[in-house]
Amino acid sequence: MLRFGMMVLSFLALAFAAAIPLRAEVAQETSPDGRIWVNVSDEGGQATYTVHFDGEVVMEPARLGLLFADHHGFEADLKIESYTRNRVNEAWEQPWGERREVRDHHQEMAVTFVSTQGPERRMIVRFRVFDTGIGFRYELPEQEALLGDIRITDELTQFNIGGDADAWWTPSRQFNRYEYIYRTGQAGEVDDAHTPVTFRQKDGEHDGLHISIHEAALVDYSGMSLLALRPGSFEAQLRAGFDGIKVHTKAPFKSPWRTVQIAPDAVGLINSDIILNLNEPNKMGDVSWVEPGKYVGIWWAMHIRERTWGNDGIHGANNDDVKRYIDFAAEHGFAGVLVEGWNIGWDGDWFNNGELFDFTKAYSDFDLPMLSAYAEERGVRIIGHHETSGNVANYEAQMENAFALYAENGVREVKTGYVADAGDIVRYDDNGVRQYEWHDSQFMVEHHLRVLEAAGRHQISINAHEPVKDTGLRRTYPNWMTREGARGMEFNAWGSPPNPPEHISILAYTRMLSGPMDFTPGIFDLRPNERPPVREDMQRGDPSNRPQTTLVKQLALYVVLYSSLQMAADLPENYEANLSAFQFIKDVEADWEESVALLGEVGEYVAIARKGRAGGEWFLGAVTDAEPRDLSIPLTFLEEGKTYTAQIYRDGAEAHWDTAPYDMVIEEMTVTSADALDARLASSGGLAVRFVEN
Ligand code: NOJ
Ligand code: CA
């Protein structure tokens, strides 16, 4: 393999009319291993980039640039003026995460484009090329031509995949935010998609090459979706604010990184730290108070109509129920008990009445100080909940006091929620006029950081539901522990339709590339809506809403879906009825020394191994879609020369998500790193294994 350093190639291009030769500059940077090349060019006066892998073009020339409302933009009449380069190969440590040590090994070029027409102005495009893909961002230095407020009306960044690739995506700008069943199809069918969007090339040279497009370090900017210009050719579509402007900024300024992960195989996408590496280091100082762990909660009971959030049924957040959950958590070693529906505002149409939520006032049957003390005595803590129903104005007015109240009562994690249709976030503008925002507009990007900072002042960590997508900000703000941002378990209670069997094996290669997800796994009663109603006026939902998985797959989710706060979501009584399967959830960790995706294909299956930070034990999780599969999983991640007892939870011979989801075999086997574990995964089944060193 030839290894190219950064170089600038010049060649002649004929000027259109006058036949005066113009020099088109091409700046090139490669990955440390030389397999990925990026060429940046000013041909025709436009800023463009091209991506090569193993010497072949994988992304055809695509534009770069920005347009502004009141200033000249960076669209045409540009030339490469200069470039700088940098090399980084260093490791940094995560306070918590899917691995302790993260290696940042990349080669960088920062290309300065200068205008050749109109007022002189400069834009830097900084590229970082890693062995697993590239990141690039715009930087606008302070300059005469860009004085005052800058209002971005369009980002011209394009991504040229080509129409003939497989694609997995969710639609953008639809009412249900990021919570859609994944589409599987051709790149040419993707019209407007949330990122990460994952593609698999199909043409000869690159057959099987995986590409996933996303962004990193989304701050002071609006979220990007991919809008098809032509089949397979996408433009960064920034979410506009209520005023139609996409981003309000000032020079000097930096955009988020646009990321293109590239991997020869599907698991290569998962085994990449690009997104984290492109984020700024921890800004919060000592974060030893951020503590990963497992929790249970007053939650699933509401989703399956066993309880209600408000007083219009059987109120779930009552002292007796909460004590029962605390006792259960203490008995089985869970760190937290989430309590939803504790505060005033849930009665009636809470989805549309966000202004009614009071974040410091509890229902009369919920005694926060008493319950916190009760929990503390048992070595457990309450996990708080702030549902805003998208009324961010109401929440921001109260959040300082709300976090203070929780902190006084020993609460160290708060789940937030923004249940509102996309585009219905409520805020007030500078004139006091009520306005509406998208969940991924600049206003919301900034709102989430205000929440993290306010929470951080009280040593509280955040788990946001209906959030803006993850872009790796947990590196900078380690109290952003997890979030939702895709269809989670709740859809299996009322989703109509529920999550299909292939859901997890797509999530693993799309949403999960962006960071941890509070999916809330571990449902043991797989037909929850077939339980008799608890009361005449609380009829269950449609019985066809149920987890379309085997029981083993529910266990495997604890390893496959990374979350630093990991819920055991079912009712305590359902765990008590199957303590032998529950043992895996009790044993598995939520914080990892190391993680490695071993094998899989997008939309089909995935196998991941992780080594716990506290106990140092390895765990393995594998899941499949509706297709049963025989997997032979090499145990090379285990330490050489040691023997282990593998505690195996596997699908039984009859297991099938639809007809025999509970058919499970629990067995032990002695293994070493030289072995491969052979297992048959049932239709929408899985495999969960704990390795205990002998
Ligand atoms: C939607 C969240 O995803 C879910 O977990 C929560 O229970 C409800 N909103 C109520 O806040
Ligand atoms: Ca949700």
Side-chain angles (χ1 to χ4, degrees):
M1 174 74 44
L2 278 176
R3 282 186 60 142
F4 287 89
M6 153 88 198
M7 56 188 183
V8 174
L9 311 170
S10 294
F11 55 88
L12 294 181
L14 283 186
F16 177 61
I20 302 165
L22 284 183
R23 287 150 54 89
E25 300 286 346
V26 177
Q28 185 179 81
E29 186 54 282
T30 75
S31 54
D33 68 2
R35 296 187 78 179
I36 301 174
W37 308 352
V38 181
N39 287 355
V40 176
S41 162
D42 59 8
E43 196 175 349
Q46 292 189 339
T48 62
Y49 73 103
T50 311
V51 183
H52 298 74
F53 186 78
D54 283 351
E56 298 288 330
V57 174
V58 287
M59 288 170 74
E60 298 283 345
R63 289 187 66 181
L64 299 163
L66 291 165
L67 294 181
F68 312 118
D70 321 286
H71 298 83
H72 291 268
F74 295 92
E75 181 195 10
D77 309 314
L78 299 171
K79 72 169 203 248
I80 294 178
E81 182 182 49
S82 62
Y83 61 90
T84 60
R85 54 193 274 179
N86 192 25
R87 299 284 177 269
V88 170
N89 186 2
E90 61 193 24
W92 56 277
E93 197 171 300
Q94 297 200 81
W96 50 268
E98 59 278 70
R99 62 180 53 80
R100 186 188 296 273
E101 191 186 283
V102 177
R103 178 143 297 272
D104 182 353
H105 190 192
H106 69 258
Q107 310 204 134
E108 175 181 292
M109 76 173 160
V111 183
T112 301
F113 285 91
V114 64
S115 57
T116 55
Q117 299 285 323
E120 186 174 282
R121 55 207 186 278
R122 286 183 174 77
M123 165 181 85
I124 298 167
V125 190
R126 188 177 301 275
F127 281 83
R128 288 193 181 155
V129 191
F130 302 77
D131 290 345
T132 57
I134 64 173
F136 60 92
R137 74 173 177 206
Y138 299 99
E139 298 176 6
L140 298 184
E142 206 172 347
Q143 52 194 293
E144 254 324 270
L146 292 174
L147 291 177
D149 292 338
I150 296 178
R151 300 190 294 161
I152 298 179
T153 52
D154 209 0
E155 181 179 316
L156 303 176
T157 311
Q158 293 178 8
F159 303 91
N160 275 338
I161 297 291
D164 192 23
D166 298 313
W168 292 269
W169 75 102
T170 52
S172 161
R173 284 194 290 191
Q174 304 283 316
F175 83 93
N176 227 357
R177 309 163 302 267
Y178 300 96
E179 297 170 35
Y180 282 90
I181 291 177
Y182 276 86
R183 273 64 161 157
T184 299
Q186 301 308 300
E189 298 169 68
V190 180
D191 46 8
D192 190 352
H194 281 304
T195 68
V197 188
T198 296
F199 301 97
R200 182 174 58 206
Q201 298 281 12
K202 287 203 294 200
D203 58 344
E205 285 295 331
H206 305 299
D207 199 20
L209 190 73
H210 293 74
I211 296 182
S212 188
I213 295 173
H214 188 46
E215 57 184 310
L218 172 55
V219 287
D220 302 330
Y221 210 79
S222 57
M224 167 187 86
S225 60
L226 296 192
L227 182 70
L229 298 172
R230 295 199 171 195
S233 167
F234 304 98
E235 186 176 72
Q237 177 76 8
L238 301 182
R239 195 67 63 244
F242 77 87
D243 56 2
I245 296 297
K246 290 173 175 166
V247 177
H248 289 268
T249 188
K250 271 189 170 63
F253 123 102
K254 293 173 187 141
S255 75
W257 295 91
R258 278 65 190 90
T259 59
V260 181
Q261 282 187 236
I262 301 173
D265 55 5
V267 289
L269 293 176
I270 302 173
N271 293 325
S272 164
D273 292 316
I274 282 194
I275 307 286
L276 282 172
N277 276 325
L278 291 171
N279 274 272
E280 300 290 323
N282 173 8
K283 275 192 183 158
M284 301 194 92
D286 175 16
V287 289
S288 51
W289 44 271
V290 180
E291 207 180 316
K294 290 174 291 183
Y295 69 100
V296 294
I298 309 278
W299 181 77
W300 186 240
M302 276 83 95
H303 289 268
I304 61 169
R305 304 190 196 167
E306 185 94 9
R307 294 286 186 271
T308 48
W309 280 275
N311 267 329
D312 42 359
I314 303 175
H315 183 220
N318 66 74
N319 291 332
D320 289 346
D321 272 10
V322 177
K323 279 187 179 169
R324 195 158 55 80
Y325 275 75
I326 292 171
D327 292 342
F328 179 83
E331 186 184 340
H332 296 287
F334 289 83
V337 174
L338 166 70
V339 185
E340 296 200 359
W342 67 279
N343 61 319
I344 300 293
W346 289 92
D347 298 297
D349 185 11
W350 59 268
F351 192 106
N352 290 305
N353 290 333
E355 71 279 11
L356 300 183
F357 282 118
D358 187 322
F359 298 99
T360 51
K361 205 155 175 225
Y363 280 110
S364 60
D365 56 348
F366 178 84
D367 184 340
L368 179 60
M370 181 276 287
L371 290 166
S372 307
Y374 186 89
E376 200 189 331
E377 280 160 27
R378 286 157 184 79
V380 175
R381 53 184 189 266
I382 305 254
I383 297 181
H385 186 231
H386 290 159
E387 174 56 64
T388 67
S389 289
N391 195 315
V392 165
N394 182 44
Y395 185 42
E396 289 203 359
Q398 299 184 49
M399 71 184 177
E400 191 65 39
N401 292 339
F403 287 128
L405 171 72
Y406 265 151
E408 274 161 33
N409 286 283
V411 171
R412 289 167 50 189
E413 295 86 17
V414 172
K415 172 176 170 180
T416 56
Y418 298 86
V419 169
D421 281 1
D424 276 356
I425 294 284
V426 174
R427 64 169 292 191
Y428 290 85
D429 69 13
D430 294 345
N431 302 317
V433 178
R434 186 180 166 106
Q435 304 285 5
Y436 295 89
E437 295 277 352
W438 293 84
H439 284 70
D440 51 357
S441 70
Q442 185 180 10
F443 172 80
M444 283 307 280
V445 166
E446 290 170 356
H447 164 74
H448 285 290
L449 291 192
R450 286 194 286 274
V451 173
L452 286 178
E453 277 161 5
R457 287 194 285 277
H458 300 278
Q459 303 205 333
I460 285 176
S461 300
I462 295 296
N463 164 13
H465 277 233
E466 300 78 47
V468 65
K469 64 183 165 184
D470 200 343
T471 56
L473 286 173
R474 67 193 146 120
R475 179 176 180 188
T476 316
Y477 301 92
N479 67 330
W480 201 341
M481 291 190 74
T482 188
R483 80 185 78 196
E484 192 187 40
R487 264 180 163 238
M489 187 65 80
E490 60 185 7
F491 280 82
N492 298 330
W494 42 255
S496 295
N499 299 328
E502 80 254 25
H503 189 56
I504 305 298
S505 35
I506 303 179
L507 267 192
Y509 302 98
T510 52
R511 159 68 183 82
M512 298 310 294
L513 302 179
S514 73
M517 175 173 179
D518 186 39
F519 182 87
T520 67
I523 296 305
F524 274 30
D525 175 359
L526 295 163
R527 290 182 179 269
N529 288 320
E530 287 178 28
R531 295 160 66 93
V534 273
R535 226 166 66 179
E536 202 30 42
D537 59 340
M538 292 174 65
Q539 294 298 313
R540 305 277 178 191
D542 176 350
S544 69
N545 287 315
R546 59 180 168 121
Q548 296 190 340
T549 74
T550 65
L551 183 57
V552 178
K553 187 168 173 177
Q554 290 294 319
L555 301 182
L557 298 180
Y558 288 86
V559 185
V560 169
L561 300 177
Y562 169 60
S563 183
S564 54
L565 292 172
Q566 192 70 282
M567 188 176 202
D570 210 341
L571 310 178
E573 66 212 70
N574 291 333
Y575 292 133
E576 273 154 359
N578 193 349
L579 287 174
S580 50
F582 188 48
Q583 189 60 44
F584 183 81
I585 301 181
K586 291 170 65 168
D587 292 336
V588 75
E589 286 200 36
D591 191 23
W592 307 102
E593 191 66 36
E594 190 49 80
S595 293
V596 44
L598 300 164
L599 49 150
E601 290 293 346
V602 187
E604 296 181 11
Y605 68 103
V606 62
I608 298 181
R610 302 189 197 271
K611 184 184 185 187
R613 274 207 200 186
E617 288 175 344
W618 280 95
F619 292 85
L620 170 68
V623 297
T624 177
D625 61 357
E627 206 56 47
R629 265 169 233 283
D630 290 302
L631 297 186
S632 181
I633 304 172
L635 303 181
T636 41
F637 51 88
L638 296 174
E639 209 176 310
E640 232 183 279
K642 292 196 166 155
T643 61
Y644 299 80
T645 301
Q647 300 174 353
I648 301 171
Y649 301 71
R650 62 174 173 84
D651 292 320
E654 302 300 317
H656 186 290
W657 72 266
D658 191 19
T659 52
Y662 302 110
D663 185 15
M664 165 188 290
V665 175
I666 304 178
E667 62 188 3
E668 289 194 345
M669 202 184 269
T670 304
V671 296
T672 71
S673 64
D675 293 322
L677 194 65
D678 295 327
R680 180 168 176 78
L681 276 56
S683 172
S684 198
L687 173 71
V689 187
R690 172 193 185 200
F691 297 90
V692 181
E693 213 181 299
N694 290 330

